[in-house]
Amino acid sequence: MKKSERLKTIVELNVAQEKKALETFGQVQKKQVQLQMQLDHLINYRQEYQEKFDAFCKTGARVGQLLEFRSFLDKLDQAINGQEQALHSLETELSRVRGNWIGLHNRTKSLSKLFDAAQADEVKQLDRREQIEQDDRVASGRRGGTKNAG
């Protein structure tokens, strides 16, 4: 088997791995966008609820109602905190899968260059062999032509 054929198989396998890594990267990126949107929604909701709480305090609310508001705000804070931690973990994962994809992409480029070089080398070798064969035919034709003339 020619070197270029072996390299072609390796390049094709690497391309498949790179494609899978890119799909994983895209999925994690999509999940990051979703988590960020959820976090933004929670933050906005908490801000709106805080404004309602502030307005409610100004109207002179009962202690029980104020405690319920405060308890719900605490729960929103916990949810926001959890969402921020999940987003941070996902960003770490995103960085890891991005690095994996970049590594595979660079490897594919390098292997493709090796494949191209091997193919070019094989073409040069074939051209040299054909040139040698042609030179041999011409040389033997000249020798054979002089024998017939003499």
Side-chain angles (χ1 to χ4, degrees):
M1 179 182 269
K2 292 181 181 179
K3 182 178 179 179
S4 65
E5 291 171 352
R6 291 190 308 269
L7 282 170
K8 182 179 180 182
T9 302
I10 293 170
V11 169
E12 289 170 350
L13 290 172
N14 212 76
V15 166
Q17 289 176 333
E18 180 187 349
K19 183 179 177 185
K20 186 175 180 182
L22 183 59
E23 288 171 359
T24 301
F25 178 54
Q27 290 168 351
V28 174
Q29 225 175 7
K30 183 177 178 181
K31 189 171 182 180
Q32 180 201 26
V33 169
Q34 290 171 341
L35 281 179
Q36 184 64 54
M37 287 174 55
Q38 290 172 352
L39 176 61
D40 293 345
H41 178 72
L42 279 172
I43 290 171
N44 288 336
Y45 184 69
R46 195 228 181 266
Q47 186 177 2
E48 290 171 10
Y49 202 80
Q50 180 69 49
E51 290 168 3
K52 288 179 187 177
F53 176 72
D54 293 343
F56 196 67
C57 287
K58 290 177 184 175
T59 62
R62 296 188 323 262
V63 173
Q65 291 172 318
L66 293 176
L67 288 175
E68 285 177 25
F69 262 100
R70 189 70 240 157
S71 174
F72 189 69
L73 282 171
D74 288 343
K75 288 178 183 177
L76 283 174
D77 287 340
Q78 289 174 357
I80 289 170
N81 215 5
Q83 195 73 11
E84 287 172 338
Q85 289 175 358
L87 189 59
H88 178 71
S89 295
L90 194 65
E91 286 170 349
T92 301
E93 174 69 5
L94 183 65
S95 179
R96 185 189 67 75
V97 297
R98 182 179 184 271
N100 183 46
W101 169 71
I102 288 172
L104 286 168
H105 178 70
N106 289 337
R107 180 176 162 91
T108 299
K109 283 179 16 182
S110 296
L111 288 170
S112 292
K113 287 179 183 178
L114 282 174
F115 168 74
D116 292 343
Q119 261 192 329
D121 187 48
E122 289 168 3
V123 167
K124 284 180 188 176
Q125 288 176 6
L126 182 62
D127 287 348
R128 267 189 248 130
R129 273 194 302 252
E130 288 175 353
Q131 185 63 46
I132 289 170
E133 289 172 7
Q134 186 177 8
D135 291 347
D136 287 346
R137 280 192 298 264
V138 169
S140 61
R142 287 185 185 159
R143 282 185 291 215
T146 26
K147 288 181 183 177
N148 290 341

